[in-house]
Amino acid sequence: MLAGKPKLFFIQRYGIQQPSVPQPGACPGGAPTHRDSDLETDGVACGRGPAVPTDADVFWSHCWTSECQLEQGNHRSVYLEALTDGLLRGRRRKTNLVDIHTELNGLIYDHNKRNPAARYDIDLKHTLRRHLCLT
């Protein structure tokens, strides 16, 4: 049923800081100790993260930040909130999905300038052959 239709992936990932490698803006008190056996991953490509499909008409938006964000009370993902707002606004305005993501990049950039210790990184890959607007 999905043959010939675009596939959209929006991924928010929280990375675990390694205690032996201090990072700027790391969790106060150091990162908790984790064992690799405690983690379950899918689709890892050469240990660099999820494998991006290479088929035509795939849209892949991947955002990551530190797990320290989860330790803050009432945490809400800047990426997921901006993405949700952007998709709803884009749907009303009939805006191309790539243009929506460009606006999202700007919001993440602005957030990172104001909050360098709560940085989000974002990566977009796509193989869209046409403009894609949500209806």
Side-chain angles (χ1 to χ4, degrees), residues 60-102:
W60 178 276
S61 174
H62 178 209
C63 181
W64 61 98
T65 188
S66 169
E67 91 281 0
C68 298
Q69 304 278 347
L70 297 172
E71 296 172 359
Q72 300 172 9
N74 299 322
H75 168 71
R76 297 178 70 104
S77 168
V78 172
Y79 167 75
L80 292 177
E81 284 191 343
L83 175 64
T84 300
D85 292 345
L87 291 173
L88 291 172
R89 248 188 346 271
R91 182 175 178 218
R92 285 191 303 270
R93 297 183 312 197
K94 299 186 185 329
T95 305
N96 177 357
L97 185 59
V98 174
D99 293 338
I100 292 169
H101 206 278
T102 301

